[in-house]
Amino acid sequence: MFRFLHSSDLHLGRAFGTYPEAIRNRLREARHGAIARLAQAARDGGAATVLLAGDTFDAETPAPDTLRHALRAMAAEADITWIMLPGNHDSLAATELWRRIAQDGAANLRAITSPDPVELAPGVMLLPAPCTQRRPGRDLTEAMAAPTPEGCLRIGLGHGAIADFSGEDGAAGIIAPDRARLCGLDYLALGDWHGRMEVNGSTWYSGTPEADGFKHSAACCALLVTLEGTARVRPVETGSMGWRTVTLDLLPGDDPLAQLDAALPPLRLRRNLLVRLVATGRLPLSDRTALEAAAQAAAPDFGWFSHDLSGLVTEAQPDDLDGIDRAGALRQAAEALLAEAGDPDRSATERAVAASALTRLYALAQEVGA
């Protein structure tokens, strides 16, 4: 029997450049903190080995402090053996990176820079396929057919997309989906896809231990794998920051504020969440204005919050426009914006801008009249 933790795609040093500075710093720190959480997950599960299936670093030239802090964090978990495989973001083409890892890494870190089999424990052999460059152009996991002593457990460690699967960068897949069977592997640990995925009973993508976008809805985790006759795989949650898309499909007569309140998480959970609110359907002008105000009021509770009401058609009756002005320039502006918001000949962006401007005008009018 052999037990280990399978993880991948830490992407240490990711910049998150499209987000405000405050949340960028928290996201980067969360990724660094994943090292300690992986060590604890392994420890709690009775494992002493963590397999990192590529893309530990986000780039081939991580900042010196990113590299140093990562190596020191792994060294601090002295009872854990770290097996680090080059991925497509931190491939073997980054010769200086792997030289530094070999030079500065602690004794409990083993960087895998060759496809040669590696003994993990007596009777347990690792068959790795380190990425030679960003796009190798061939199935490097063919090397996993290498012979090992008879009767030992065979664990494959690779990074990339399988043949019927698109990788994180959208590149065509090249790894054979039945690689485990072809090479007699008891388990194939893969990285590249940032969401957890079972290819078959003996082949898994662990996904990233710390979320980095809205693409994958499942909680981020690592996989605790026990090899004893067959592979028993148990997800162990490791994420500290959550990414959630909240969708509202609204119609006249609905209570948009009640639906928003029901869809958002409790206050105690909001600080560590990044939320993207998307509303579609149709609403009267007054309800849309109230929804916009409620979204803006909730935003500061979250680590990051955005709302997109561009898919929400605004319905306005004469009485609604009377709430802005009964005549004059403001009334004319409101009528023009309403016409633009519903004009099928205009682009979706132009209609959304007009609807947003009308909502803002209505809100300002209500504030002045209050």
Side-chain angles (χ1 to χ4, degrees):
M1 190 273 284
F2 185 66
R3 182 172 292 146
F4 60 93
L5 195 74
H6 166 202
S7 187
S8 70
D9 297 280
L10 276 70
H11 286 273
L12 300 173
R14 174 160 287 188
F16 296 100
T18 60
Y19 293 90
E21 182 178 359
I23 193 62
R24 285 204 307 265
N25 293 336
R26 293 187 62 202
L27 292 171
R28 288 195 292 264
E29 187 57 30
R31 305 204 76 74
H32 175 76
I35 296 172
R37 293 195 297 276
L38 288 172
Q40 192 60 48
R43 210 173 280 126
D44 292 345
T49 302
V50 176
L51 303 185
L52 299 176
D55 285 0
T56 301
F57 298 97
D58 191 54
E60 294 182 342
T61 55
D65 62 331
T66 297
L67 177 57
R68 179 182 177 86
H69 293 165
L71 297 181
R72 294 298 182 270
M74 291 180 189
E77 311 293 344
D79 58 329
I80 300 296
T81 298
W82 302 90
I83 307 296
M84 186 187 296
L85 185 82
N88 60 337
H89 281 253
D90 52 9
S91 74
L92 286 175
T95 53
E96 177 61 15
L97 170 62
W98 294 99
R99 185 193 69 79
R100 288 292 306 278
I101 292 173
Q103 173 184 295
D104 299 338
N108 65 331
L109 170 61
R110 183 157 191 177
I112 304 299
T113 57
S114 163
D116 297 334
V118 174
E119 185 179 51
L120 295 180
V124 182
M125 298 297 294
L126 181 74
L127 295 117
C131 284
T132 54
Q133 54 191 7
R134 182 68 179 256
R135 294 179 176 81
R138 61 189 181 88
D139 186 354
L140 300 173
T141 64
E142 292 176 351
M144 294 177 186
T148 55
E150 188 173 351
C152 73
L153 293 172
R154 292 167 57 87
I155 301 172
L157 184 63
H159 187 93
I162 63 174
D164 57 351
F165 173 73
S166 293
E168 199 66 17
D169 292 331
I174 56 173
I175 296 176
D178 57 348
R179 175 57 62 203
R181 180 187 64 80
L182 292 172
C183 291
L185 303 176
D186 294 278
Y187 184 82
L188 175 53
L190 292 175
D192 181 45
W193 186 244
H194 288 197
R196 182 177 76 250
M197 175 183 287
E198 178 184 5
V199 180
N200 53 59
S202 57
T203 302
W204 286 72
Y205 285 90
S206 65
T208 177
E210 183 65 40
D212 53 12
F214 293 100
K215 186 172 186 178
H216 304 287
S217 58
C220 287
C221 68
L223 301 176
L224 186 67
V225 182
T226 303
L227 299 181
E228 191 175 22
T230 59
R232 300 199 310 271
V233 180
R234 178 166 68 88
V236 180
E237 192 167 338
T238 55
S240 65
M241 300 289 290
W243 300 63
R244 187 178 301 180
T245 298
V246 173
T247 58
L248 299 178
D249 190 18
L250 302 164
L251 290 173
D254 291 342
D255 184 341
L257 302 189
Q259 290 197 27
L260 176 64
D261 186 61
L264 294 179
L267 284 172
R268 68 180 185 278
L269 302 178
R270 294 184 180 185
R271 184 176 183 275
N272 291 333
L273 282 178
L274 291 86
V275 170
R276 180 176 60 184
L277 170 66
V278 179
T280 58
R282 296 179 291 113
L283 278 183
L285 177 58
S286 57
D287 285 350
R288 179 195 171 106
T289 303
L291 177 62
E292 176 108 32
Q296 291 174 352
D301 295 337
F302 293 88
W304 179 85
F305 185 95
S306 76
H307 63 282
D308 179 5
L309 306 187
S310 62
L312 196 58
V313 175
T314 302
E315 295 185 344
Q317 303 300 323
D319 288 349
D320 296 320
L321 297 188
D322 287 346
I324 297 174
D325 205 346
R326 294 182 177 276
L330 279 181
R331 177 59 178 247
Q332 292 175 2
E335 291 174 347
L337 289 171
L338 180 61
E340 291 178 14
D343 186 351
D345 293 331
R346 292 183 178 273
S347 69
T349 300
E350 289 174 324
R351 292 197 302 272
V353 169
S356 179
L358 179 60
T359 301
R360 182 61 179 151
L361 183 60
Y362 183 85
L364 289 171
Q366 299 306 299
E367 290 175 14
V368 172

